[in-house]
Amino acid sequence: MGSQGHGQVQRWQDRWWAVGLLVLVVWVGIRLAFDGWSGWPGILVGGLVYAGFMTWFVMRRRRRDARAVGTDAARVPELERRIAKNGELPEDPAEQAAMIRLIRRREEKLRRNRWWAFPLLALVFFGIPVLWFAAGNVAAGLWGLAFGAAFLGWMVWFNRRFVRRMAGMRQRIEGVGGGLVTGPAAGPAAGPGTGSVGGPGTGSAGGAEGVAPGAR
């Protein structure tokens, strides 16, 4: 079920080179803001290494997600965008089932990782400024504290919003009673919590296959 089979063209920002370029720009920009231009060659080399690693990591996660939910890796970013925006439901029943499995996969990962992910991020973002303070670089320490507090606050807000929108999208597809609506009499989606898209051949997306044991 590739992206072209659904009449969709992969957005340029979803391609591997765009992911790497974004990571490189952000990395270099942050390092230059804190360290200045004097060490730009080392900053650029470090940014290239980090961008390469993150690109590999993101592409690897997409491929794993695609195998777990039964779609093409190029479709995973689009499904995630629809979930995050609580947007339009896929018309294809197979894509609806893939979206349900992706939602359940994300929910399972959040439940499994939340106990260590946020404490680790807090340790990194607040520990580094402490080191700067200890080294006598008060300005960098203050900037680091401000950036860490803002980023962690955004992460908490985004995580809560994404959880709510995943639940809303799942209800729109499955219906409040659970299970995809089947049969030729099923109509189009009526809105959150009121019904679900169905049609001939539409099956339930539930079951253990929605959560892959290899989920990150």
Side-chain angles (χ1 to χ4, degrees):
M1 182 169 39
S3 58
Q4 293 180 348
H6 293 283
Q8 300 282 346
V9 177
Q10 187 181 19
R11 297 186 181 187
W12 67 266
Q13 60 264 39
D14 296 334
R15 300 183 183 276
W16 67 268
W17 57 265
V19 175
L21 182 61
L22 176 62
V23 174
L24 177 63
V25 170
V26 172
W27 171 277
V28 172
I30 293 175
R31 290 294 306 275
L32 289 177
F34 284 112
D35 300 336
W37 287 90
S38 59
W40 71 264
I43 292 174
L44 180 60
V45 171
L48 289 171
V49 173
Y50 185 69
F53 169 77
M54 288 302 300
T55 302
W56 169 81
F57 180 82
V58 170
M59 295 298 108
R60 175 175 170 266
R61 191 188 74 161
R62 285 183 188 175
R63 288 192 296 269
R64 287 189 170 187
D65 286 339
R67 287 195 299 267
V69 306
T71 188
D72 189 82
R75 293 293 298 150
V76 171
E78 176 63 24
L79 293 177
E80 288 181 325
R81 271 191 296 270
R82 292 192 184 191
I83 294 169
K85 296 178 180 178
N86 203 13
E88 179 184 357
L89 293 174
E91 296 181 0
D92 187 352
E95 280 226 314
Q96 293 176 23
M99 182 177 282
I100 286 290
R101 288 191 288 267
L102 183 61
I103 289 172
R104 289 178 173 168
R105 182 174 170 85
R106 291 288 181 266
E107 289 174 334
E108 175 63 19
K109 288 197 294 184
L110 286 173
R111 283 192 296 268
R112 189 170 62 246
N113 298 337
R114 68 175 57 177
W115 68 271
W116 63 266
F118 281 105
L120 180 61
L121 285 174
L123 178 64
V124 171
F125 282 109
F126 293 130
I128 293 177
V130 169
L131 296 178
W132 279 328
F133 282 129
N137 194 342
V138 178
L142 290 175
W143 275 107
L145 283 178
F147 176 80
F151 183 80
L152 287 177
W154 176 82
M155 284 288 292
V156 171
W157 169 80
F158 181 83
N159 180 68
R160 290 179 176 176
R161 187 185 70 161
F162 191 61
V163 168
R164 289 194 302 268
R165 293 190 173 183
M166 283 194 299
M169 183 67 78
R170 179 158 48 82
Q171 287 183 358
R172 289 171 63 189
I173 299 177
E174 291 184 326
V176 177
L180 286 171
V181 178
T182 59
T194 59
S196 208
V197 177
T202 306
S204 174
E209 72 275 13
V211 178
R216 181 174 63 87

